[in-house]
Amino acid sequence: LRVIPAGVGRHLVKSENFAAGFHVGISTSDPEAIRIQFFEQQGIEMTPDTQKEVEKHFTRGELRRVAAGEVGSISYPARMRESYANDLLETLDVSAIRARGFRLVVDYGFSASSYVLPLVLGPLGVEAVAAHAFPSEGEGGPLGGLAASIGQAKRLVPAVGADLGAVFDRAGERLYLIDEQAHEIPVEQALLLYLSLIASSGRSGKLAFPVTVTSQVDRLIEGTELEIVRTRASLQELTKAAVEDGVVFGGAVGGGYVFPDFLPAYDAVASLAKLLELLATVDRPISELVAELPAPTLIHRQMPCPWALKGLIMRVLNERMTGRDVDLTDGIKVFSDRGWAQVLPDPDEPLVHLYAEGETTEASEELAGELRALIEEIEQGEAAAARI
């Protein structure tokens, strides 16, 4: 597929019913690292079971060799970007978006989405001022990263009188928003903005969110025909849930949004197009809509934890929480009349994640502090036992 955003590759896997696909790109967190993503059928993220199979065969080196005459050939599909754009447009209310006449600032963050988004915005009648397109051969890449892109978008939005600003990450998967007053919309509230617009549009169906997402999502859908489905806190589980019947939206804090009617995966181009559709019938500035959203009180903290103690900590915590209102979907999430707190071991690093949400930020900090104290007590007890 040559140079494309991962979303186009996912779309081809889904639309042509391929068994699998992969995408090679620069890591969003480390410009010196290369990230290889694997997709399964329908373009979802590789599931843990398939990942274990891949790693098992890779580490054993027991790879099946084929005869020279059975080696497959490489083909280059024609017009796959146009096919992606046309299929996305078919899921949108094009006339409503054209009637609104949006003006945008789009910072591509040096992603290959700059090859695709114009094919979508053109038919939608959207006027866009673009920056930081994918670098061609010999050009430099991003120097300041995501923060520099957001900063430039904040300067451009008032300068051109844009309705909003959109910033893509380097992978073209996550979307960050700037309102018409040049204020960055926090990712926590951006997720609630999508949900609020979906709820007010009268749509029905299921919404997929990880267990770590704020409980405000439950309050926003009260009195609607929407239902929330909680998943484990991983992109694999979120995209797997997104392909289930009846799911109309999914997302997690961090700028990633899923619209399964088009693609069950993070895709900044589709996320922006769907946002324009939701805003098209709401004749109000985006800053007003955000101001009406509940203030987030969810906090996330990280705590160092040796690999050898992760299992012990989770086991002891589970024993101590016996009789409490606990959710074990992922990690341990305990509820009380003050809110909830959750501990979640990191799958890749020697640390655990602490999430907490109370009525205020101070209450959230207090809940997280109590959970941290419990974990430290368990670690200290294990250290004391090791010295005996």
Side-chain angles (χ1 to χ4, degrees), residues 65-386:
R65 310 293 179 180
V66 299
E70 297 178 359
V71 176
S73 61
I74 296 176
S75 63
Y76 295 89
R79 303 182 62 81
M80 71 281 184
R81 288 180 294 194
E82 290 80 359
S83 173
Y84 166 94
N86 290 336
D87 286 355
L88 175 55
L89 290 168
E90 287 181 0
T91 69
L92 301 173
D93 186 345
V94 175
S95 59
I97 299 174
R98 289 186 65 88
R100 177 68 185 269
F102 286 102
R103 175 180 291 178
L104 307 180
V105 167
V106 179
D107 191 305
Y108 291 107
F110 297 96
S111 72
S113 298
S114 58
Y115 295 148
V116 180
L117 184 61
L119 302 176
V120 177
L121 296 185
L124 294 176
V126 175
E127 181 184 352
V129 175
H132 293 157
F134 188 83
S136 57
E137 187 174 353
E139 294 181 339
L143 296 177
L146 182 62
S149 293
I150 292 176
Q152 175 158 305
K154 291 167 70 174
R155 294 189 294 271
L156 285 174
V157 165
V160 302
D163 296 295
L164 63 99
V167 178
F168 293 6
D169 70 352
R170 185 68 188 271
E173 294 179 338
R174 297 175 186 267
L175 176 67
Y176 304 90
L177 300 173
I178 313 295
D179 69 20
E180 82 286 353
Q181 297 180 358
H183 297 139
E184 180 183 356
I185 300 175
V187 288
E188 298 88 352
Q189 289 198 298
L191 179 63
L192 296 180
L193 174 64
Y194 271 98
L195 179 56
S196 174
L197 290 169
I198 291 171
S200 62
S201 69
R203 300 186 186 184
S204 61
K206 299 178 181 178
L207 310 166
F209 297 118
V211 290
T212 53
V213 163
T214 172
S215 297
Q216 297 287 359
V217 296
D218 299 281
R219 300 173 188 174
L220 281 175
I221 68 164
E222 289 179 358
T224 71
E225 296 184 15
L226 297 169
E227 174 189 352
I228 290 178
V229 176
R230 294 284 187 169
T231 73
R232 293 171 62 89
S234 73
L235 182 56
Q236 294 95 328
E237 294 297 329
L238 181 62
T239 57
K240 183 179 178 182
V243 298
E244 299 294 332
D245 289 341
V247 177
V248 297
F249 176 70
V253 171
Y257 312 104
V258 181
F259 289 89
D261 63 332
F262 173 65
L263 191 66
Y266 287 173
D267 182 359
V269 172
S271 297
L272 177 58
K274 293 289 189 177
L275 178 62
L276 296 180
E277 180 185 42
L278 291 168
L279 290 171
T281 56
V282 182
D283 192 19
R284 297 174 63 194
I286 193 171
S287 60
E288 288 187 8
L289 299 174
V290 173
E292 293 175 354
L293 297 172
T297 61
L298 174 66
I299 63 170
H300 172 212
R301 302 289 181 263
Q302 295 181 355
M303 183 176 178
C305 176
W307 282 101
L309 290 183
K310 285 185 180 181
L312 174 68
I313 287 172
M314 300 305 292
R315 185 170 64 253
V316 174
L317 279 177
N318 194 27
E319 293 172 354
R320 294 194 179 187
M321 298 299 174
T322 301
R324 303 277 297 273
D325 184 4
V326 173
D327 181 354
L328 301 179
T329 301
D330 201 5
I332 297 176
K333 184 176 184 179
V334 57
F335 298 88
S336 69
D337 53 3
R338 295 180 297 151
W340 59 267
Q342 181 174 10
V343 57
L344 192 65
D346 190 283
D348 302 313
E349 301 293 336
L351 52 86
V352 294
H353 299 272
L354 302 180
Y355 296 88
E357 184 177 34
E359 289 298 321
T360 64
T361 303
E362 293 74 16
S364 301
E365 292 286 1
E366 183 179 342
L367 288 167
E370 293 172 2
L371 197 56
R372 177 186 291 271
L374 275 174
I375 295 173
E376 289 175 344
E377 179 185 335
I378 296 170
E379 289 182 337
Q380 292 168 2
E382 181 65 15

